[in-house]
Amino acid sequence: MVALSAAHAYASVSGQPQAVLVHVDAGTQNLGGAVNNAMRGRVPVLIFAGAAPFTVTGELPGGRNEFIHWIQDIRDQRGILRGYVKYDNEIRTGRNVKQLVHRALQLARSEPAGPVYLVGPREVMEEPLEPYTLDPAEYPPVAPAALTADVTREIATALAGARNPLIVTSYLGRNPDAVPVLVELAELLAIGVLESAAFCVNFPGDHPLHAGYQFTTSAQNPVLAAADVILVLDSDVPWIHASSRPSPDAAIYVVDIDPVKAGMSMWHVPARRIAAADSKVAVEQITGFVRDNVLAEAALVEVRRAELTDASLARRAVLDRLEQPEPGVITPRYLTACVRELLAGADALVLTEAITSYQVVAEHLRASRPGSLIGSGGGSLGWAGGGAVGAKLAAPERTVVCLTGDGSFMFGVPSSAQWLARRYGTPALTIIYDNRGWAAPKFSTLLVHPDGAAAQADDFHVSFQPEADLPGVARAAGGAYGMTVSDPGELPQVLKDALAVVHGGRSAVVSVQLPPV
Ligand SMILES: Cc1ncc(C[n+]2csc(CCOP(=O)(O)OP(=O)(O)O)c2C)c(N)n1
Ligand SMILES: [Mg+2]
C-alpha cells in the first residue's frame, strides 16, 4: 500500500512511469486499495509479483523447496488485479522478458495511463539466458490525440456563440503544461472554469475567471445551472445529477482521452458531442480556431469578463469571512487559511487527502501554480502517507506538505510510511485534520436518511474513542517531530515550528484538533 502510493505520487509529480515489486499473491493483495487509486489517478505503474514455483520434484531450477510454495499457489493470481489494471500477463520465458516489460510499460504510459501487472514463477526467474539488449525508445506511448477539424469547429463555435459558456474540469491539470493553455482559452472568450472533484490545479485558484470548486454537492450549483454551453474537459464526475445539474437546454460537449469511461459500468453525460483527445491539444485547437476565425465578440466578452470577475470577488469575500478564527475552536477553514499563509512564497507541493475537508482545502488554499497540488484521484484512503514519500523523492527541492484526515492517516499504514520517510530521507510536513473519527460516512448516512435511526440516536459508529496519539505513531516509527494542537491562537506558531523541523531534514506530524465528529 505504501510502496504503490509512493510510486503513484512519484509518477504524478515526475510524469515518469514507476515500478513496484511485491511478493506473490500475498503482496499483491497487500497493495490494497492503492490499485484503485492508481487506476483512477491514471498513473503509469508496472506492478511485478513472483508466482509460486510450478515444479515439485526437481524438474527445473527454482522449483518448490519451501512449504510456503504450496500455500502460495492459487488458481488465478492475475485475477486479483484484473479489475484495476490495463494489462496483465505472465512472464513465460526469460528470452523475451525485456519485450514484455517494455510492452507493459508502453500500455501503462499510453493515455489513459494506468497500472499494469506482470507475474513470473521462480523457474522462469532462474532461467539461464544469453544477455541481450533492447532499445526502450522503440516502445513509446501512444502520441497525444487531437480533435478532428469538424469537432474543433463545432466546439469553438458553440463556446464563442454562448451567452454563458462554462468549462468544467477535474484533471486537465495532471499535465501542468495544459493549465496555461486553458487559461488562454478562458481569457480569450471570458469563460468561467468550474473545478469538479479536482485533485490538482486545473486553473489558477486566484484567477478572476475561476468559477469555484465542487465535490459532493447537496445543493444546486448556480454556476452550472446558468450555463448555456458547457465544455466538460477531463472529468469523471462533472456534476452529481441527483443534487446539481446543468439546465436541460444547455449544449454539452465532452472531451477526454477516455470520454465514455470504458472502465466504469455506468456513466452518462447528455452531451451533443463526445470526443477522445488529449485535453491540452484539444484546447489549443479550439483556441486557435476562435482566433483564426475572429469568433470572439469583443463587446460581449468584456461585459462577461467583468461579470465573472465580480462574481469571483464576491465568492472570495464570503470565503475570507468564513476563514476567520472562532474563539476556542479550530475550524477546517481557519486551519486551511493558516496553511495557506504558512506556505505563501514557498515552493510547496501539497498532497490532499482531507476527505470531508476536500472542498475547504480547495477553496481556502486556492492553489494557483500548476502542479502544486495532488490527490490520489481514487477511492481508497491511505494514499497520502506513502504519497508524501514518493512526492519528495520526485521533487527533493520542494517542501512537501500532506493534508490528511485522521482516518486516512491511519489507513495509510503510518508506521510503515513514516519509517520509509526516515529510511529514504524524505521529510514532509503532515497536518492531520483531526476530528477524531470518520465524518464522511456520517454525512453519507445523513444524505440518504436525514431523520433515520442513526440521526435520531446521534450515533453513527464513526468516533475514534478512545483516541490514538497519531503524532506519537510518527515519532515512534519515523523519529518524526510530533505535536498536537487545539488552540486556534497557537496554531500558526505550531505550524511554523513544524515546518522549520521539516526544512531541517526531519518529518513532522501535527494533529490539529477540529471539532469532533
Ligand atoms: C480503504 C477505504 N475504506 C473505507 C472508505 C470509505 N470512507 C470514505 S471517507 C471515510 C472516512 C475518512 O476519515 P477521515 O480521513 O478521518 O476524514 P473525515 O471523514 O473525518 O473528514 C471512509 C471510511 C474508503 N474510501 N477507503
Ligand atoms: Mg476524521
Side-chain angles (χ1 to χ4, degrees), residues 131-414:
Y132 73 101
T133 56
L134 165 156
D135 183 3
E138 289 180 5
Y139 293 79
V142 174
L147 298 173
T148 63
D150 281 352
V151 172
T152 306
R153 177 178 9 90
E154 186 181 359
I155 298 177
T157 312
L159 286 172
R163 257 177 310 109
N164 270 325
L166 179 69
I167 292 172
V168 184
T169 180
S170 302
Y171 44 78
L172 164 133
R174 278 180 189 156
N175 174 6
D177 294 341
V179 177
V181 171
L182 179 61
V183 169
E184 205 182 325
L185 173 62
E187 289 179 349
L188 178 63
L189 288 174
I191 307 176
V193 177
L194 173 65
E195 294 193 69
S196 182
F199 297 98
C200 57
V201 176
N202 296 294
F203 196 73
D206 56 4
H207 195 288
L209 293 172
H210 199 291
Y213 302 90
Q214 64 182 23
F215 286 84
T216 293
T217 43
S218 54
Q220 174 68 47
N221 185 336
V223 168
L224 198 55
D228 58 343
V229 174
I230 300 177
L231 173 58
V232 175
L233 205 52
D234 275 359
S235 180
D236 288 341
V237 192
W239 48 80
I240 296 172
H241 185 92
S243 52
S244 178
R245 51 188 170 271
S247 150
D249 304 325
I252 300 172
Y253 300 85
V254 172
V255 176
D256 188 314
I257 198 67
D258 175 21
V260 284
K261 318 293 168 186
M264 293 182 187
S265 41
M266 183 55 195
W267 190 88
H268 176 66
V269 162
R272 297 232 171 136
R273 189 72 59 206
I274 287 197
D278 174 86
S279 55
K280 174 170 177 274
V281 174
V283 173
E284 280 167 345
Q285 290 178 285
I286 294 166
T287 306
F289 191 93
V290 172
R291 281 233 164 84
D292 295 349
N293 296 279
V294 206
L295 295 185
E297 280 193 49
L300 280 179
V301 167
E302 290 322 312
V303 170
R304 191 160 62 221
R305 194 187 313 282
E307 284 168 3
L308 291 171
T309 303
D310 286 349
S312 74
L313 285 174
R315 258 194 310 274
R316 170 79 177 267
V318 171
L319 292 172
D320 287 349
R321 278 197 297 280
L322 289 172
E323 71 182 32
Q324 294 313 308
E326 294 174 24
V329 315
I330 299 178
T331 64
R333 290 183 196 273
Y334 171 62
L335 167 56
T336 309
C338 290
V339 174
R340 185 186 66 232
E341 299 305 314
L342 178 77
L343 302 179
D347 182 12
L349 174 53
V350 177
L351 288 80
T352 174
E353 198 165 40
I355 316 301
T356 51
S357 293
Y358 274 143
Q359 174 120 6
V360 165
V361 165
E363 288 179 340
H364 295 268
L365 205 59
R366 285 195 290 277
S368 292
R369 272 178 308 118
S372 64
L373 178 78
I374 55 171
S376 81
S380 194
L381 305 182
W383 166 83
V389 176
K392 184 71 180 172
L393 283 173
E397 71 292 351
R398 301 177 76 176
T399 302
V400 173
V401 178
C402 176
L403 309 180
T404 174
D406 49 331
S408 298
F409 181 80
M410 286 211 242
F411 274 122
V413 201

Side-chain angles (χ1 to χ4, degrees), residues 8-9 11-12 33-45 84 108 111-115 171 174-175 199-200 236 264 374-380 383:
H8 180 149
S12 299
V35 279
N36 169 293
N37 296 339
M39 171 184 67
R40 292 288 177 231
R42 296 186 179 180
V43 287
V45 180
Y84 298 93
E111 294 291 346
Y171 44 78
R174 278 180 189 156
N175 174 6
F199 297 98
C200 57
D236 288 341
M264 293 182 187
I374 55 171
S376 81
S380 194
W383 166 83

